Amino acid sequence: MFRQHTRVAGAYRVTFSAEAWSEIGRLSSPLFIALQQALEQLAQQSRPGAGAEGASTQLTFTVDSLGISCARDDKARTLTLQRL
């Protein structure tokens, strides 16, 4: 018998560009976990007025000295990791 696990989806779906995937493979486990937690935190945040036409925002931040570039699309409700 299979168990069903309920997972609450965040406000935004997290996606990765091809360039980001190639960089993710080079991360140490602790750095990957820190990145994953930061992206999850961003994805859980809902934005007031989200969903407006063409509402896309570029985000740049650091996690443990790792520079991260993301695009947040409020209309599609996606957070795309572009570069590390």
Side-chain angles (χ1 to χ4, degrees), residues 2 8 16 27-28 32-34 36-37 41-42 45 51 57 63 70 83:
F2 293 103
V8 177
F16 304 95
L27 296 178
S28 66
F32 174 73
I33 291 169
Q36 190 176 28
Q37 290 171 343
Q41 186 177 16
L42 275 174
Q45 296 172 357
T57 306
V63 172
C70 295
R83 286 182 299 283

Side-chain angles (χ1 to χ4, degrees), residues 5-34:
H5 298 280
T6 303
R7 182 175 176 194
V8 177
Y12 288 76
R13 182 173 47 100
V14 178
T15 61
F16 304 95
S17 72
E19 182 181 346
W21 270 120
S22 66
E23 294 297 320
I24 287 171
R26 298 179 187 152
L27 296 178
S28 66
S29 290
L31 195 52
F32 174 73
I33 291 169

Side-chain angles (χ1 to χ4, degrees), residues 65-76:
S65 74
L66 178 66
I68 299 167
S69 177
C70 295
R72 186 176 193 148
D73 185 337
D74 293 333
K75 184 176 180 187

